[in-house]
Amino acid sequence: MNTSGDDGKIVDLQQRQSQQSFGNDRLGELLRAVRGTALKRLQALVSALFENIDDALFDLAEKAESNAVQTVYFEGMRKVRLQRQTIEQTFQEQFSRLIGDFAAGKLRPAKAESAVHAQSGGALSLVDDTELEESLAITSAIAKAENRLAPPLNALNQRLSVLRGGSSVEDATNPVAPAHLGQAFRVAMRPLELSVNSRLIIFKLFDRYVLANLGDVYDEINAQLIQAGVLPQIRYALPPGSKYAPGQAPAPAADGTAGQAAVAAEPMGDVAAQLQVELYNTVRSLLATRRAALAADPNYVASPAGAPNMSITELLSVLTLLQTSAPAAPAVGGPEAARLVHQVKRELLDQAGRFHGNAVGVAGADEETIDLVGMLFEYILQDRNLPAQMQAQLGRLQIPFLKAAILDKHLFAQKSHPARQLLDSMAHACLGWSEESDKDGRLHEKVKQVVESLLKDFDDDLDIFEKARLDFEAFLDTNRKRADLAEQRAAEATRGREKLHAARRTSAREVLQRVEGREMPEIVRTVLTRPWANYLVLTLLRQGEDSNEWRQALRFADEFVWSAQPKPTDAERLRLRGMLPLLEKALRHGLATVAYHENDVKQLMQELNQLYTGLLGGAPSVPGLEIVSRAAAAAAAIDSPVEEEIVLRAEAAAAPPDPLDDDECVRQAKSLKVGAWIELTGADGAKERAKLSWISPISSKYLFVNRKGLKVADKTVQVLAAEIRRGEAVVLEEVPLFDRALDAIVERLKAAQAKTDAPTA
């Protein structure tokens, strides 16, 4: 109730039509004051925007992956600096025109611009993709701002209705609302020729520095109009510390907006959370504007037009009833999965209609939620990253998640939501599941238990999701300890084999460097390529290449080869005579190390003595070059790393050349990180899921294990790339299920929009 002293200052809602409290001049004066306040504040915000555009593009240029990308960002900085004044002026002109049209009653409702324009010949050009990305960016920013600013914007709408003579003003017809300001900025930006990425960055910054700060603008305008007596009785909650309402505590948002307002209030400093909110708002915006495109899907079920809408309580009650009769396991993949997902909405409407005795519908926001959850679970039932048996189990959670999304809009906008974390945790655990790795069925049964617990016990207490997540992750931790131990053992065993293989190849190469292409007695060649090569292997494994033992072993090989060559001069024979005791000592030590039989050692020494007697006697040639001695025959029975190396060289020479590094499959194989999962198809067609557990620092081979930590395979990059090319190895996505699903939904809705907007032939 207003006192008589206030009657001359207050314009009540019932007085708007007659305008008895204000003359036209007074209304025009107030509208000019609103324009002045808004223009002043917007100029400051846009100025701050351009200061940050310069910094943002410079930072991106410094972090660019190539000179070409860096040049694009630097060129963008230059163009923005050159045209900044023009853009700011155009934006101000656009805003002034909006105010003028509003005052004259000519302002048209703001509508999202068509993202895809029809081209001649019925084709879509590259410009259309740019327009679509730009439209999505600004539409998402506008939707987020409208949700966050609903209370002060609604109050401003009502006050502007008074200034316009009682004609209703809404967000779409308010010249200071985010939609009109966003369109004005797009118009101002049109002459600026930039890359797609640079333009999207600028629109992102417009959201952060202009739209995100409109609350202060609305608060100041509302305070200004209240001071002038325009609807002072309208109250709304201002942020704590606002200079327009000092000390005023924030009030809860009106019914139906609480979830959206909370979603929009994600901390600006948390980039990941902010991106989630933007993605969610993009999806909601696309759902709202692409309803016709969705309706073209033969499986889509629409809420009855003109029918009364269910209340939230009725909606949740019907869902609870359906939840108790959820199917044991829905179909997986293909059209049948999509049909069954949409069947939930059909059953919901049918069941509600039976309760009411006539057709009932669902409110717009709730229908968007139902459709969004439906698309989420349609994606789950078609996601090839999940094994079919696990898809079927997770698909049963559609109704519990629909109830959770209706109860709390944070589900799709916050990664930290318990229901979302539970689904991501279960999906990640299922990523590596296979019947072979879960022969006892422990993981499958645990997933099934969690699903059935939610179907049975979830009513309206969202804490059940957090309890289920903690229980499921405790189960995983228990099993992970055993798997980690087995995985560590598999890596150690593979590492040992790798070291042995590398030592054998190194030793073989050292020996081959000394014997290939040289004529020498067979006994000397055999000793070097068999027992001494094995001695080199053991020395390398035990002592390493930098050890004195390794150098002495190679020195013996060099001197042993020299000792077997003819000695035509007295000096050479004198050197050989002095060397023989040392050679015998080193040879006996090496043969003992590789467990050479004592009788064979004696026989070898006798035959070598015969060889050196001939050399010291000055024989022009050494007898026995072509004859395999008894000692050489004994040595020949020893495993030879040298022969292995010769075979490997022959195989490498006969093998086709490795694919180039720029081959897409090779790049994909090389980009794998430890922890990545792949699906391997065996020769018998059986599929096995395996995790990249370890990459050999010696051979660069990849070790793959199953979810129990047991070795599945080890592969070189080239072998893995070839299998990827043939479809025998498929890299599974590590992105959390919920994120993958939301990205896929956005792409699906964008494709539907493009198809709808495309001109018909």
Side-chain angles (χ1 to χ4, degrees), residues 423-475:
L423 186 61
D424 281 340
S425 180
M426 293 173 70
H428 188 265
C430 295
L431 188 68
W433 182 90
S434 66
E435 292 188 54
E436 179 65 25
S437 66
D438 192 33
K439 289 182 177 179
D440 55 6
R442 289 170 60 86
L443 178 58
H444 186 272
E445 284 303 311
K446 186 61 180 179
V447 171
K448 183 178 178 182
Q449 174 192 331
V450 172
V451 171
E452 291 182 347
S453 173
L454 290 172
L455 288 170
K456 177 184 176 183
D457 301 328
F458 176 44
D459 185 17
D460 58 4
D461 183 5
L462 292 169
D463 288 343
I464 191 173
F465 289 98
E466 179 65 8
K467 294 175 183 176
R469 183 187 68 83
L470 293 174
D471 175 64
F472 184 74
E473 292 187 352
F475 165 83

Side-chain angles (χ1 to χ4, degrees), residues 310 313-327 344 347-356 399-400 403 454-456 458-459:
M310 284 182 279
T313 302
E314 291 172 326
L315 178 57
L316 293 173
S317 297
V318 174
L319 285 173
T320 299
L321 182 63
L322 294 176
Q323 180 176 297
T324 59
S325 58
V344 169
E347 292 178 357
L348 168 66
L349 295 171
D350 290 347
Q351 187 69 51
R354 285 194 290 271
F355 281 159
H356 279 263
I399 295 178
K403 287 174 63 179
L454 290 172
L455 288 170
K456 177 184 176 183
F458 176 44
D459 185 17

Side-chain angles (χ1 to χ4, degrees), residues 71-89:
T71 300
V72 169
Y73 286 127
F74 279 135
E75 180 65 15
M77 288 174 58
R78 186 184 68 83
K79 290 181 178 179
V80 169
R81 288 172 181 172
L82 289 174
Q83 299 192 46
R84 170 179 174 174
Q85 185 175 355
T86 301
I87 295 172
E88 290 189 45
Q89 183 177 349

Side-chain angles (χ1 to χ4, degrees), residues 186-231:
R186 284 192 75 181
V187 171
M189 281 283 294
R190 279 174 184 163
L192 188 59
E193 296 181 359
L194 295 175
S195 67
V196 176
N197 284 344
S198 297
R199 293 184 70 84
L200 293 179
I201 289 165
I202 291 176
F203 283 118
K204 168 70 174 175
L205 295 174
F206 177 76
D207 175 21
R208 179 174 298 179
Y209 292 102
V210 179
L211 297 184
N213 292 293
L214 286 179
D216 289 341
V217 181
Y218 298 158
D219 291 344
E220 185 171 350
I221 295 174
N222 274 309
Q224 186 177 17
L225 292 175
I226 289 172
Q227 185 68 27
V230 181
L231 303 183

